[in-house]
Amino acid sequence: MATRSTIMDTNSFRAEHADGLDADVRKLTDKRSKVLGESYRLFYRKPVHLVRGKGQYLWDAAGEKYLDVYNNVASIGHCHPAVIEAVYQQMNQLNTHTRYLHEAILDYSEQLLATAPAEIDRAMYMCTGSEANDLAIRVARAYSGGTGIIVTQESYHGTSDLTSGVSPALGSGQPLAATTRLVLPPDRYRVDAPDLGVWFANEIQKQIDDMAAHGIKFAGFLADSIFSSDGVLPGPKGFLKQAIDVVHKNGGIFIADEVQPGFARTGEAFWGFARHDVVPDVITTGKPMGNGIPVSGLLAKSDVLAAFSDEIPYFNTFGGNPVAMAAAQAVLKVIKEEGLQEHSRVVGAKLLSELSSLKDKYECVGDVRGAGLFIGFELVKDKASKTPDKQLALDVTEMLRENHVLTSVAGPYGNVLKLRPPLAFQESDIDWLVGALDKSLAALGR
C-alpha cells in the first residue's frame, strides 16, 4: 500500500509562509500560534480571514468575495435564513437535554427515518460525526462479539480514540488500532479489474481472513460510500453490494458513514449508499445535518442497536437538544422545499461535464469523476503513466485561492481536488469555478 498521507498537513499554512503576509493577517496567525494548541492547521500559504457568508459565497475582512467549493458544513448554504429563524425561535423557548420529554426530537426522528430504508428504525443523537462513528463502532462490537474494523486506505472517520484508530487519513503520527485493517479503495481509475465490485469484495474478504489469522474476530466494515478522503470515488452504481454481502456472510455489520455523501449531496439519492442498492446496518451522519449547528446522528436497525442499547445506557448532554433538532428539521425542510437533491443532480452533472472539458485540454488532468455536487478532479504527471502530481494539485489549490475559489485536496497521493460546494451552488457559478481552474492550469504551464 502507498505511504500514509494526511488530510491535515496538505494545503497547510506553515511558519515559513509568514513573511509574505500582510500585517493584519500576520497579526492573526501570530496570535493563533500563541493561544491555540499546536495541532491546529490553517488552509493556504496565505490564509483567508473570513468574516461573512451567504449561500455559496464568502467574504473576507477586506470585502473580497469568494466562491466556496469545499464546504459540507453549511450544506444548504451559509447563513440560510430558515435555519437561523428555527434556531432563534427555539433558543427563545427552551434548550435542554434528552432526559426530559420534548416533541422536536421525536418529530425530527420520524422525518429522518422516513428517508432511510424501512429496516432502519431507530435514531440516536450526538454533536459530531466523530461521536456518531465512535458509538457505531461500539454497536458493531456489541452485535458481532468481535473487535475488528475494516476501513479504506485513506479514510477519515473522526478524532476520538476509537475513530482516530480507524482514520488513516490523520497521518502516520496517528497510530491505527491493532484491530483495524485497511483495504485499497475502489478506484476505477487506478484499479485494473474487470469487475470493480468483485475485486473490492475480495479485498475485504482478504482482510477478514487476516484478522482471523491473528485471532481477531471481525466486527464490521465502516465506509463513506463515495470514498471522499480516498479521492472521491463514486464508482459504478451498485458495485458495493457484493462487498456488503461479504461483510454479512462473515458476521459483521456495514456502517455507512454518511457525513459527506448524505443529505442529497450525490443528487442521485438522499443517502450516498442508496446509489448502490444496499441497506446498511447502521448509518452515521454529522456535518450537513444542522448547516453549522453541531448535531450528528446514528440510525440503525433495531435488532443491531439492541445488542448495545439493551445493555448499556447512552447519554450525550448536548446530543439531540431542542435547538439542534430545530436546526436539523429546518435543513430537512429546505432540502425538500428547494428541491436540493434534484438540484444537486442536475447542476452537478453540468459541472462534471464542464470540468471534463479540461481533461481534454490538459495532459495533467487524469480523471474527473463524481456524483451530484461532489466531484474529484485528479491531477497527474501525464495521462499515460497516471503518476500522481501532488505538487501541482497544491499549486493549483493556491492559485484557485488567488482567484477567490476555495477548495482543497484529497486522496492517498494528495493529488485530487475535492470539489464539494454547498448545495446552494448554481449553474451560474460553473463558469467562475471552471474558468479559475483553466486559468490556474494555464498559468502553471500545464
Side-chain angles (χ1 to χ4, degrees):
M1 291 189 178
T3 302
R4 285 173 60 195
S5 65
T6 168
I7 58 171
M8 294 300 291
D9 284 324
T10 49
N11 184 27
S12 180
F13 171 76
R14 301 182 191 283
E16 60 263 30
H17 302 139
D19 289 343
L21 303 179
D22 64 51
D24 289 340
V25 173
R26 176 67 183 269
K27 183 178 179 180
L28 289 177
T29 60
D30 287 348
K31 190 172 184 178
R32 275 178 64 105
S33 69
K34 292 176 182 176
V35 301
L36 297 182
E38 293 179 356
S39 292
Y40 285 111
R41 298 291 186 271
L42 275 168
F43 278 142
Y44 305 112
R45 297 163 195 160
K46 182 182 177 183
V48 185
H49 178 194
L50 297 174
V51 296
R52 186 166 66 92
K54 187 71 174 176
Q56 65 277 41
Y57 304 122
L58 294 161
W59 285 264
D60 67 15
E64 297 288 339
K65 182 180 179 181
Y66 295 78
L67 176 63
D68 186 351
V69 191
Y70 190 68
N71 208 309
N72 193 41
V73 178
S75 61
I76 60 172
H78 294 279
C79 301
H80 197 290
V83 178
I84 293 170
E85 178 64 17
V87 168
Y88 173 75
Q89 291 297 336
Q90 187 58 52
M91 283 291 286
N92 272 310
Q93 296 173 16
L94 174 73
N95 198 28
T96 186
H97 52 70
T98 55
R99 297 186 76 174
Y100 300 108
L101 290 173
H102 199 274
E103 290 182 348
I105 191 171
L106 305 179
D107 293 343
Y108 178 70
S109 295
E110 288 179 339
Q111 293 166 19
L112 186 61
L113 287 167
T115 68
E119 298 93 326
I120 304 289
D121 59 355
R122 292 292 187 274
M124 297 182 73
Y125 298 99
M126 309 86 206
C127 304
T128 67
S130 295
E131 290 176 297
N133 282 328
D134 189 292
L135 180 59
I137 292 170
R138 295 174 69 189
V139 169
R141 290 175 171 174
Y143 180 78
S144 67
T147 57
I149 302 293
I150 294 175
V151 295
T152 50
Q153 178 185 302
E154 187 68 9
S155 59
Y156 170 72
H157 297 292
T159 58
S160 70
D161 186 48
L162 276 182
T163 57
S164 61
V166 294
S167 295
L170 288 173
S172 54
Q174 169 62 55
L176 296 178
T179 51
T180 298
R181 292 295 183 275
L182 306 182
V183 288
L184 288 165
D187 185 347
R188 188 160 54 166
Y189 178 59
R190 295 185 178 279
V191 171
D192 184 15
D195 188 315
L196 190 66
V198 170
W199 174 84
F200 193 53
N202 288 338
E203 292 297 305
I204 288 179
Q205 185 64 60
K206 288 177 187 176
Q207 294 307 317
I208 295 173
D209 293 343
D210 181 74
M211 286 181 180
H214 289 84
I216 299 169
K217 186 174 181 182
F218 175 55
F221 172 50
L222 170 58
D224 155 2
S225 58
I226 202 167
F227 302 92
S228 312
S229 296
D230 288 288
V232 189
L233 308 172
K237 291 182 185 180
F239 87 89
L240 270 183
K241 191 172 189 311
Q242 290 133 308
I244 305 313
D245 288 344
V246 165
V247 168
H248 288 148
K249 183 181 73 173
N250 285 274
I253 71 167
F254 170 41
I255 304 166
D257 181 342
E258 291 287 314
V259 171
Q260 298 194 65
F263 283 76
R265 169 61 59 185
T266 68
E268 297 167 1
F270 185 87
W271 299 105
F273 65 78
R275 298 180 60 247
H276 299 291
D277 194 27
V278 296
V279 177
D281 301 286
V282 173
I283 302 167
T284 58
T285 187
K287 293 181 183 74
M289 284 181 73
N291 209 57
I293 295 296
V295 57
S296 67
L298 178 149
L299 308 181
K301 297 176 179 177
S302 55
D303 61 322
V304 172
L305 186 59
F308 174 86
S309 59
D310 285 359
E311 300 294 329
I312 303 175
Y314 180 85
F315 177 64
N316 186 308
T317 301
F318 297 108
N321 71 74
V323 169
M325 293 294 94
Q329 197 165 32
V331 168
L332 272 188
K333 186 177 180 182
V334 167
I335 289 173
K336 182 177 180 180
E337 291 184 350
E338 295 187 7
L340 291 184
Q341 182 179 317
E342 178 65 5
H343 172 82
S344 180
R345 186 188 70 81
V346 172
V347 176
K350 291 177 180 177
L351 175 59
L352 186 66
S353 176
E354 291 296 316
L355 289 168
S356 295
S357 69
L358 298 181
K359 181 180 175 182
D360 298 330
K361 184 175 181 179
Y362 294 100
E363 178 68 14
C364 63
V365 181
D367 194 33
V368 183
R369 54 193 178 250
L373 284 171
F374 206 154
I375 294 172
F377 190 86
E378 180 152 0
L379 294 167
V380 295
K381 299 289 187 182
D382 58 80
K383 287 183 170 65
S385 71
K386 298 184 181 179
T387 302
D389 198 334
K390 178 179 180 177
Q391 189 57 53
L392 176 61
L394 294 176
D395 289 343
V396 168
T397 302
E398 296 291 341
M399 288 210 70
L400 286 174
R401 178 252 182 275
E402 294 303 318
N403 285 286
H404 293 184
V405 174
L406 304 178
T407 192
S408 190
V409 296
Y413 312 105
N415 69 313
V416 179
L417 301 186
K418 189 177 184 180
L419 307 177
R420 183 193 53 181
L423 300 183
F425 184 93
Q426 299 294 321
E427 187 174 346
S428 57
D429 297 311
I430 292 176
D431 284 348
W432 186 353
L433 170 56
V434 177
L437 254 175
D438 191 2
K439 183 179 178 180
S440 299
L441 291 169
L444 290 165
R446 297 307 183 105

